[in-house]
Amino acid sequence: MERKITLMAIAFGVTAVIFGAFGAHALKKVLTPDALVSFETGVRYQLYHALFLLYIATTSLVDDARKKQIFSMTLFGVLFFSGSIYLLTTSALSGTDFTPIGLVTPLGGALLISAWITLFIGVYKKKAE
């Protein structure tokens, strides 16, 4: 499980850096300032959760079953939260209306929050044992 989580953390980290550079250079010229700020929010949360997954992969404070839960919530949370933000902010460039996809943004945020809460519960229970 640790290898799988680490690989996803690396993939999230690499793509966050790529998207961040893309936003800072290529998109800066074509997006509105508000859209660029939103895009950067997606990048920032993706990078935060890449680091979060690296921690999850290496900690002994939560068991493997809980790591699996946290991994799934974080994976789908980043895809829904950051992914929907990327699509929504660049929809004018692609000519595609991604507005309906905006419904998954809060779901992604809720999954990310749930992952952190699950980590808290896991660490708390480990300490109590």
Side-chain angles (χ1 to χ4, degrees):
M1 190 80 223
E2 285 81 9
R3 183 176 183 273
K4 183 178 184 178
I5 295 171
T6 301
L7 287 170
M8 185 53 62
I10 294 166
F12 277 166
V14 167
T15 55
V17 172
I18 291 168
F19 289 165
F22 184 64
H25 300 289
L27 294 181
K28 190 174 188 177
K29 300 170 187 168
V30 294
L31 293 183
T32 66
D34 286 343
L36 191 58
V37 167
S38 292
F39 188 88
E40 290 169 351
T41 298
V43 170
R44 192 168 49 252
Y45 274 76
Q46 182 176 334
L47 191 54
Y48 292 159
H49 287 88
L51 298 172
F52 177 70
L53 285 177
L54 283 175
Y55 172 76
I56 297 304
T58 59
T59 188
S60 61
L61 293 175
V62 292
D63 60 33
D64 284 345
R66 201 167 304 268
K67 282 184 181 187
K68 193 172 188 176
Q69 284 180 309
I70 293 168
F71 171 72
S72 294
M73 287 186 278
T74 306
L75 172 65
F76 289 106
V78 169
L79 292 176
F80 291 169
F81 184 80
S82 294
S84 65
I85 289 174
Y86 299 147
L87 292 174
L88 289 166
T89 56
T90 60
S91 62
L93 300 175
S94 67
T96 306
D97 181 18
F98 289 112
T99 305
I101 290 176
L103 298 173
V104 301
T105 309
L107 175 60
L111 285 168
L112 295 174
I113 292 166
S114 297
W116 283 93
I117 291 170
T118 302
L119 173 62
F120 178 87
I121 292 167
V123 171
Y124 181 81
K125 284 187 174 185
K126 180 76 171 190
K127 183 179 179 189
E129 292 176 354

